[in-house]
Amino acid sequence: MKIITLREGKERSLLRQHPWVFQGSIAKGGADLGETVRVQSHDGRFLAWAAFSPSSQIRVRAWSFDEAERIDAAFFQRRVQQAIELRRRLGIDSNGIRLIHGEADSLPGLIVDQYDDILSAQFLSAGTERWKDAIADALVAATGCPYIYERSDSGVRGLEGLAPVTGWLRHPETFEGYADGNRRSTEVTITENGWKLTLDVAEGHKTGYYLDQRDNRGLFAKLVKQFQCKTVLNCYSYTGGFSVAALEGGATEVTSVDSSGPALARANAHVTLNGYEASAHTALDADVNGTLRRFIKEGRTFDAIVLDPPKFAPSAAHADRASRAYKDINRLAFKLLNPGGLLLTFSCSGGIGAELFHKIVAGAGMDAQVNAYIIKRLEATPDHPTTVTFPEGEYLKGLVLVRKNESLVA
Ligand code: SAH
């Protein structure tokens, strides 16, 4: 067993069960990519069993803080079972569920989403790469899902010295008619808030879909109804989850804007798949910022607007530039909002905290000379939990605003 010894005073974060050790905290020791190491304090006290990552800034990711625990296949079975037990107790009314949410589930670097009978998995750290087979076996055993599709094509793998990998990780040759070399299609249909939504685990973004917004899409359907919104603009729509929600809420003119053509094709398909008229929906393959500016010039307005942009700030270092980008789109959205209209606005940047995001949106309202109630704060669904030991896990934050009738400046 290789040993990693920390510099004096650098044991504090592991003692609080925060799972990361940065390169600069290590006094001596090294190991191969993903190898299990014993991490100890400068005076030899046990701190954690961990995975070593020789080229990453995050040099060590802890598996366990229990000296008696062995890191083996049975360990991964226990971790996977604990994560799935939580999801079972959450009673999520959908067959699209995040089963493993990385550090929060004490499996740093592992993301697993279940889409009906397919698990879509990202192995983003050296340790998860090393234990991939044991983890895959544990997942199949715990869920009964025969199929695992691997989407380890995220850029963060590069920081770990890992090449991208995609494709079937588990696909039984003889399962339910898929014998003779036939493969199960990578397309799958899930039910969310009672809607049918399709996705492709091979072609979609991330693992295929954004499950973290499930409850917020459900809430949006209710709000559109309560506020009797008819014209709805869904910015950064991806495959149109919020657009279907708007139609369920009684909207009659829904516009989805995204820069991904395939995502918009799916958004269109989702409208009719769920029994709504194709004519109630317009898909615009365009940049959101430019589209908002064009709509302002054209004098268009909307009863409800959703802003769910991609991560503008990958880390706190990008917070300034990202803040300006968030403020800009929110300012434009406020200008397009009818009095009494709804704005659902989000940030999924870990580098922008909830408080800062609140300030940015408030500033955007001031700039647009629009006053608005803030009636609710939003976050990710509970199958994307955070933990008390890992506050960095918090990333998605959102606000529900209702535009007031009066302007700020006469
Ligand atoms: N709201 C979606 C998820 C949005 S993810 C849902 O509920 O499923 C962010 C989306 O923004 C992606 O689909 C991406 O294609 C799109 N996107 C990124 N940059 C964009 C831009 N400048 N203009 C328009 N769309 C953009």
Side-chain angles (χ1 to χ4, degrees), residues 76-376:
F76 289 99
Q77 283 164 16
R78 291 194 295 275
R79 284 284 198 259
V80 164
Q81 272 160 7
Q82 174 176 258
I84 290 173
E85 176 63 13
L86 172 73
R87 278 49 177 197
R88 202 180 61 73
R89 282 174 189 267
L90 289 171
I92 295 161
D93 186 19
S94 173
N95 57 351
I97 298 177
R98 171 143 304 185
L99 297 182
I100 314 278
H101 190 52
E103 277 72 0
D105 288 304
S106 306
L107 289 167
L110 181 66
I111 300 293
V112 182
D113 287 335
Q114 176 169 7
Y115 299 117
D116 194 32
D117 62 343
I118 301 185
L119 304 180
S120 185
Q122 296 182 307
F123 296 81
L124 303 174
S125 60
T128 55
E129 180 70 20
R130 182 100 167 195
W131 288 97
K132 195 184 278 179
D133 256 343
I135 292 168
D137 289 343
L139 286 166
V140 169
T143 61
C145 281
Y147 307 106
I148 305 179
Y149 197 86
E150 181 173 6
R151 283 299 302 271
S152 302
D153 52 347
S154 163
V156 299
R157 291 242 324 173
L159 304 175
E160 295 282 301
L162 301 169
V165 180
T166 57
W168 289 111
L169 181 60
R170 288 289 183 277
H171 188 300
E173 293 299 335
T174 54
F175 198 79
E176 288 180 10
Y178 296 116
D180 305 327
N182 286 336
R183 290 304 209 194
R184 190 209 182 286
S185 147
T186 49
E187 173 140 336
V188 59
T189 303
I190 59 168
T191 306
E192 176 189 281
N193 298 305
W195 316 314
K196 296 267 171 250
L197 299 168
T198 66
L199 61 106
D200 189 317
V201 291
E203 304 294 329
H205 295 178
K206 309 268 177 79
T207 67
Y209 187 57
Y210 296 94
L211 294 168
D212 53 359
Q213 291 280 28
R214 181 195 314 113
D215 292 352
N216 296 329
R217 287 184 285 256
L219 173 72
F220 188 55
K222 292 196 185 95
L223 289 169
V224 165
K225 189 164 186 201
Q226 280 168 18
F227 284 79
Q228 299 179 359
C229 304
K230 296 298 167 200
T231 52
V232 174
L233 178 60
N234 180 9
C235 298
Y236 310 96
S237 66
Y238 190 47
T239 57
F242 279 104
S243 301
V244 173
L247 291 166
E248 179 183 313
T252 51
E253 274 179 58
V254 179
T255 305
S256 300
V257 187
D258 202 281
S259 54
S260 159
L264 288 170
R266 241 174 237 287
N268 273 326
H270 287 156
V271 170
T272 47
L273 181 65
N274 287 283
Y276 300 104
E277 291 294 329
S279 60
H281 181 247
T282 306
L284 288 182
D285 187 346
D287 168 59
V288 163
N289 195 299
T291 304
L292 295 175
R293 286 171 198 276
R294 175 163 71 81
F295 284 170
I296 290 171
K297 270 199 202 125
E298 292 171 3
R300 287 188 64 172
T301 59
F302 296 88
D303 297 335
I305 300 177
V306 178
L307 289 178
D308 184 20
K311 210 190 295 180
F312 286 162
S315 73
H318 304 80
D320 269 1
R321 212 169 136 227
S323 299
R324 285 195 292 278
Y326 283 118
K327 190 171 177 188
D328 206 30
I329 54 169
N330 279 280
R331 179 179 56 82
L332 297 168
F334 273 122
K335 288 191 170 196
L336 288 166
L337 201 61
N338 286 325
L342 282 172
L343 173 61
L344 253 72
T345 181
F346 296 96
S347 161
C348 61
S349 298
I352 305 270
E355 213 175 313
L356 175 57
F357 184 61
H358 192 156
K359 277 195 192 129
I360 293 168
V361 174
M366 293 294 266
D367 283 3
Q369 300 185 354
V370 163
N371 199 358
Y373 294 106
I374 298 173
I375 58 165
K376 202 169 171 62

Side-chain angles (χ1 to χ4, degrees), residues 6-18 21 25 39-43 45-47 65:
L6 302 190
R7 290 172 37 208
E8 191 169 351
K10 293 298 181 184
E11 68 280 4
R12 275 196 293 269
S13 101
L14 283 179
L15 285 173
R16 289 200 306 264
Q17 302 208 357
H18 186 286
V21 177
S25 300
V39 187
Q40 60 183 34
S41 62
H42 73 285
D43 53 0
R45 275 180 301 151
F46 171 87
L47 296 169
F65 301 94

